[in-house]
Amino acid sequence: MANAMEIYQLLPKTNCKKCGKSSCMAFAAALLSREKNLDECTPMLEEKKYSENYTKLKGLVSPAEQASETGMIVHEDRCIGCGNCVVACPVNVAEDPKGAGSGNAPTNERVILKVEDGIVRLSNVEDCRRFGENKRLCSGCIVTCPTKAIEFV
Amino acid sequence: MERKYHVCTGCALLCDDIELREVENKTIIDSACRKGAAWIKNCQHPLECTVDAKDTTTQDAIEKAAEILKNAKNPLIFGMGNSSLTAQEKAIELAKKTNACIDDTSSFCQGPFVEAILNDKIKSCTLDEVRDKADVIVYWGCDPSNSHPRHLSKYSYFPRGKMRQRGWEEDRTAIAIDVRKSDTAIICEDDFHQIPPKADAEFAHALTDALSGKVPKVTFGMKPKEILELANVLKKAEFGVIFAGLGLVYSIPDISPMEKLLEVLNKKTDFHLMPMVGQYNMRGFNHTLFDQTGYINRVSFEGDDIGHGPQYSVVEVLKGEKVDAALIIGSDPLSSLPGSIAANLKEIPTIVIDPCKTFTSQTANVTLPAAVTGVECKGEAIRMDGVKVTLKQMRKSDKMTDADIVEKIMEAI
Ligand code: SF4
Ligand code: SF4
Ligand code: SF4
Ligand code: SF4
């Protein structure tokens, strides 16, 4: 994922405020936190001279747009379905101590991470510790992944 | 709701918690790793029933196979790591009947460790004990993250177990010893100890010294302090286990350095070793042959006599051109053996029984497609830790089991 500066460099830098932000830099930051999406910068969409930068930006920010509400991205091509994240996730452990928390198949639907057809799948993302009002920094699923298939943006 | 679990035969971990779901006429496989899911979905190139590369009926192929084995003076029967226990028993019976040499991949991989365990020379344990009790886990010359993807999550490091309730961060230490920083080593972080190729024996000696109160020395520049600290962690284990991989087996001339290390460790604590068996039932073959002959591999039958020794290994009999026909079951020696040795296999009549096309099947005189045990038929197998597991059938198939094929060949002889 790009940083705010890289994104800013590709924006029109006119600070026209059409996106609802006070400046292009503020819009760049909003893109990163997924508060805004790229198409809200209407000049980029409409004016031809920006079209090349628009394509570049689309490539930069699209991984973030695909992320779940927690900002979690699973690189499916990298995931080997080892289940390390499934057993390490504290929410999985709390919700299903005998199943997912003990390294076995999940035994209920309240888990966040599970492996389907050999690849990790997300559900109940609103229960992820990184989500919501009382969000906490949790990296259970990141540090245990041997292939770095899970990323937060 | 009662859940119905299947067993994955994708590797010798034999994960027993696989669920199948039908969604819009598609079967979703739950909880198997990517390798296992691919295995269950079956091979890309299924083997066809052929004689001399021409399609034929099963009956015809079985008769031809019987003829080859009957005409051979010294056939070789090889493989069986991906066969059910019943098929393995039948293959041994066939070997007796045809005065064959019988061997499996263990003769050039994990055989020495399995043999030492069956002869009570090395202390081993089960995977369930590892999950419930192990606090110090050593991955030596192996990378289960790739070879047995669910090893760490289901048994060895991450799960909560009876005596390890606080989880991996607090309750367990995972250590990797390897020549390169593997995916598993990355997970072990600071507990990764890199050694040069072929230095495993030297390193095992150094650890043994450190545990015996001597100053450990190695020639490859690892500081004594690092070795002493590692020895200290091992010594303090309540229940320790070394998972021995091919990297370790290939680099030591014999397993005595590991036997010694375990001996000193067991004077101070409770330490075990488990070989990282690859094919789902390689250990099953070793156990079955051991029960019948006292040997785990490299056996030659001649009448009532049983010969055993390195001269009967697949490598030696092919190298010395001592066999005049080969029956290969669920194995691909052309891709796993050194080229010059494998080339000799092409010179003799060969029969392949396998679910999928392999390099070996491409040059075989007879090919017989078999069902995948645990997927297309049921059976039994021995997990990498020696525990017997019942395998269910996952889906219907009209393919014959490898056990039935061997039985039919025997009848035809
Ligand atoms: S609409 Fe585009 S150009 Fe205008 S301020 Fe927002 S980001 Fe900048
Ligand atoms: S961040 Fe923590 S709570 Fe969220 S999915 Fe990952 S391990 Fe689970
Ligand atoms: S830990 Fe990584 S590779 Fe393993 S299942 Fe989770 S995302 Fe996939
Ligand atoms: S680890 Fe082995 S047995 Fe378990 S699901 Fe993966 S391939 Fe199958």
Side-chain angles (χ1 to χ4, degrees):
Chain A
M1 187 64 197
N3 61 35
M5 203 53 184
E6 286 172 73
I7 296 176
Y8 171 74
Q9 294 298 345
L10 293 165
L11 287 170
K13 297 187 220 167
T14 56
N15 300 334
C16 74
K17 301 192 177 65
K18 282 186 189 146
C19 57
K21 283 282 160 189
S22 57
S23 67
C24 293
M25 193 61 206
F27 183 71
L31 275 180
L32 264 184
S33 66
R34 289 179 318 284
E35 178 200 328
K36 291 271 172 200
N37 75 56
L38 184 58
D39 292 354
E40 288 176 74
C41 168
T42 46
M44 289 269 310
L45 263 186
E46 285 153 13
E47 288 172 49
K48 247 199 133 126
K49 62 179 177 202
Y50 299 130
S51 73
E52 199 178 307
N53 281 1
Y54 175 82
T55 321
K56 280 192 195 152
L57 264 175
K58 210 58 199 169
L60 273 180
V61 299
S62 65
E65 284 174 357
Q66 284 161 13
S68 69
E69 294 133 279
T70 48
M72 186 173 184
I73 301 177
V74 178
H75 298 281
E76 293 197 352
D77 51 328
R78 275 189 231 160
C79 174
I80 55 165
C82 67
N84 290 359
C85 58
V86 177
V87 50
C89 169
V91 177
N92 277 16
V93 173
E95 292 292 343
D96 187 21
K98 291 253 147 57
S102 299
N104 291 318
T107 60
N108 65 52
E109 299 302 317
R110 297 188 299 276
V111 294
I112 300 184
L113 298 155
K114 61 180 164 202
V115 175
E116 251 179 51
D117 273 342
I119 292 167
V120 75
R121 298 266 178 253
L122 305 179
S123 45
N124 310 315
V125 281
E126 64 284 359
D127 293 332
C128 169
R129 298 210 165 165
R130 288 187 172 235
F131 187 72
E133 294 283 288
N134 306 314
K135 66 175 158 199
R136 271 182 279 168
L137 195 61
C138 173
S139 51
C141 54
I142 307 170
V143 296
T144 56
C145 179
T147 60
K148 302 290 160 244
I150 293 182
E151 196 183 5
F152 282 87
V153 292
Chain B
M1 189 185 72
E2 179 72 16
R3 284 172 180 264
K4 191 168 175 254
Y5 292 119
H6 292 269
V7 175
C8 172
T9 47
C11 74
L13 209 56
L14 291 175
C15 293
D16 54 4
D17 57 350
I18 311 303
E19 290 175 277
L20 303 173
R21 266 185 300 138
E22 292 295 325
V23 180
E24 291 164 5
N25 286 327
K26 264 186 63 193
T27 309
I28 309 263
I29 304 160
D30 280 333
S31 300
C33 70
R34 183 183 277 235
K35 176 177 174 171
W39 172 268
I40 293 165
K41 283 189 178 151
N42 220 339
C43 39
Q44 303 270 316
H45 306 286
L47 188 64
E48 278 132 19
C49 188
T50 65
V51 169
D52 296 326
K54 282 187 209 76
D55 286 351
T56 181
T57 61
T58 317
Q59 191 52 39
D60 196 32
I62 284 173
E63 272 162 27
K64 182 73 192 171
E67 189 190 312
I68 291 176
L69 291 173
K70 203 156 57 182
N71 291 338
K73 269 215 196 83
N74 276 312
L76 162 72
I77 300 184
F78 175 76
M80 287 77 70
N82 281 332
S83 304
S84 68
L85 286 176
T86 317
Q88 294 172 343
E89 276 161 24
K90 296 228 189 291
I92 296 169
E93 208 184 313
L94 180 62
K96 282 184 189 158
K97 224 174 161 170
T98 53
N99 286 340
C101 279
I102 189 161
D103 194 18
D104 76 333
T105 50
S106 74
S107 72
F108 54 91
C109 68
Q110 295 285 9
F113 282 126
V114 177
E115 192 166 20
I117 291 168
L118 287 176
N119 285 307
D120 262 333
K121 291 207 176 111
I122 273 187
K123 190 168 171 185
S124 196
C125 59
T126 67
L127 287 166
D128 303 280
E129 286 177 298
V130 171
R131 165 158 63 193
D132 284 337
K133 301 188 204 162
D135 56 345
V136 175
I137 302 108
V138 184
Y139 304 101
W140 194 324
C142 63
D143 183 17
S145 296
N146 285 294
S147 58
H148 303 65
R150 293 184 67 199
H151 194 277
L152 280 77
S153 73
K154 193 162 158 60
Y155 293 109
S156 61
Y157 186 34
F158 295 115
R160 269 140 227 264
K162 284 200 186 95
M163 290 164 68
R164 302 286 164 239
Q165 279 299 320
R166 285 176 304 169
W168 49 285
E169 298 106 315
E170 289 175 53
D171 271 355
R172 302 197 209 250
T173 308
I175 296 159
I177 299 169
D178 212 333
V179 295
R180 64 183 181 100
K181 194 162 189 175
S182 66
D183 287 343
T184 307
I186 290 173
I187 290 174
C188 297
E189 291 177 47
D190 296 342
D191 290 303
F192 166 50
H193 304 275
Q194 188 158 11
I195 57 172
K198 299 271 171 216
D200 300 68
E202 192 186 347
F203 191 58
H205 287 312
L207 277 173
T208 308
D209 280 350
L211 288 159
S212 317
K214 295 181 204 151
V215 181
K217 269 195 217 108
V218 286
T219 53
F220 51 82
M222 190 187 278
K223 296 224 165 65
K225 188 164 169 268
E226 184 176 341
I227 304 170
L228 281 168
E229 277 171 6
L230 174 59
N232 221 5
V233 176
L234 301 183
K235 193 162 75 185
K236 289 210 183 107
E238 278 173 32
F239 187 108
V241 56
I242 296 170
F243 288 104
L246 289 181
L248 171 61
V249 186
Y250 286 151
S251 107
I252 50 178
D254 63 75
I255 62 169
S256 62
M258 298 309 288
E259 285 179 331
K260 282 204 198 90
L261 175 59
L262 277 167
E263 199 185 302
V264 292
L265 275 169
N266 276 306
K267 285 195 184 127
K268 298 173 192 294
T269 161
D270 192 12
F271 236 94
H272 311 79
L273 182 141
M274 197 188 296
M276 293 291 288
V277 172
Q279 289 183 317
Y280 84 82
N281 203 18
M282 187 199 94
R283 203 159 156 179
F285 176 75
N286 297 149
H287 282 224
T288 312
L289 193 63
F290 184 80
D291 286 347
Q292 296 200 18
T293 65
Y295 306 111
I296 63 154
N297 53 25
R298 300 172 297 173
V299 162
S300 165
F301 292 103
E302 205 155 320
D304 284 334
D305 292 341
I306 294 170
H308 167 261
Q311 70 274 27
Y312 299 121
S313 75
V314 62
V315 172
E316 289 305 319
V317 296
L318 284 176
K319 206 199 283 172
E321 297 177 24
K322 290 196 199 108
V323 283
D324 52 359
L327 169 63
I328 312 291
I329 307 178
S331 191
D332 193 12
L334 277 197
S335 71
S336 55
L337 292 177
S340 59
I341 292 164
N344 289 349
L345 186 63
K346 292 190 195 162
E347 302 300 317
I348 55 176
T350 303
I351 306 150
V352 167
I353 302 176
D354 205 291
C356 310
K357 279 192 183 140
T358 62
F359 279 112
T360 314
S361 77
Q362 280 168 25
T363 55
N365 302 70
V366 178
T367 62
L368 279 151
V372 181
T373 313
V375 181
E376 296 167 323
C377 63
K378 53 186 194 222
E380 279 180 325
I382 308 252
R383 204 164 66 180
M384 61 181 282
D385 58 349
V387 171
K388 196 189 241 186
V389 179
T390 305
L391 314 169
K392 288 186 215 157
Q393 183 171 355
M394 293 189 184
R395 62 167 176 264
K396 285 209 182 78
S397 160
D398 47 18
K399 283 196 209 159
M400 272 170 92
T401 67
D402 43 5
D404 285 345
I405 296 175
V406 177
E407 172 82 46
K408 287 266 187 290
I409 295 178
M410 238 180 314
E411 282 169 16
I413 294 176

